[in-house]
Amino acid sequence: MGKRDKKDEAPPPGPFNNPFAALSAQRDALPSGPPPPPPREKPEPKGPARAVVRMERKGRGGKEVTVVEQLGLPAAQLDTWLKALKGGLGCGGVVEEDALVLQGDQRERLPALLEARGVRKVIVG
């Protein structure tokens, strides 16, 4: 005797009690749901009026860092911005007083990310 294939078996004979069989016939009689809401335009992200981006090397053991200053954001929002910028740039960073300090020279890539977050004017120095 060998193994029996369950794929070749027919369904068991006799009545099968499906409690939802009668409901499937009434599906077309159901009222349609509410219409989908119209698509809303995304408001322009509001952010600081300007940001100053510069590169520093002094006092850091010869390591290059990019400093973002003059954002004028509260401390809690600075942490949120720092996390987003670190993720977008793939680098480390820290908040020092009211400035964001990112590891490495990020002056070329950073302005696009800041403008996407709503900064209206980015000054690279």
Side-chain angles (χ1 to χ4, degrees):
M1 292 183 104
K3 292 184 178 179
R4 291 177 41 187
D5 282 337
K6 292 194 175 197
K7 294 179 186 174
D8 296 335
E9 285 184 13
F16 179 68
N17 185 13
N18 184 357
F20 301 107
L23 292 176
S24 64
Q26 297 176 357
R27 186 176 300 160
D28 296 330
L30 291 173
S32 62
R40 293 188 295 177
E41 291 184 21
K42 224 178 188 183
E44 186 175 318
K46 291 186 178 181
R50 70 182 212 167
V52 177
V53 177
R54 63 185 171 84
M55 200 257 306
E56 271 187 7
R57 194 177 295 133
K58 289 187 177 179
R60 303 186 187 276
K63 304 286 184 184
E64 295 178 340
V65 296
T66 304
V67 181
V68 182
E69 296 177 318
Q70 298 181 10
L71 287 171
L73 298 173
Q77 220 172 0
L78 280 175
D79 290 332
T80 306
W81 277 57
L82 178 67
K83 185 173 182 176
L85 292 176
K86 285 180 358 181
L89 295 169
C91 67
V94 68
V95 176
E96 287 184 358
E97 297 177 12
D98 61 343
L100 303 177
V101 180
L102 300 164
Q103 294 176 350
D105 186 1
Q106 308 292 342
R107 289 179 292 178
E108 292 178 10
R109 297 172 29 193
L110 191 57
L113 289 174
L114 290 173
E115 287 171 0
R117 291 194 61 86
V119 178
R120 291 183 286 280
K121 184 175 182 182
V122 178
I123 301 167
V124 178

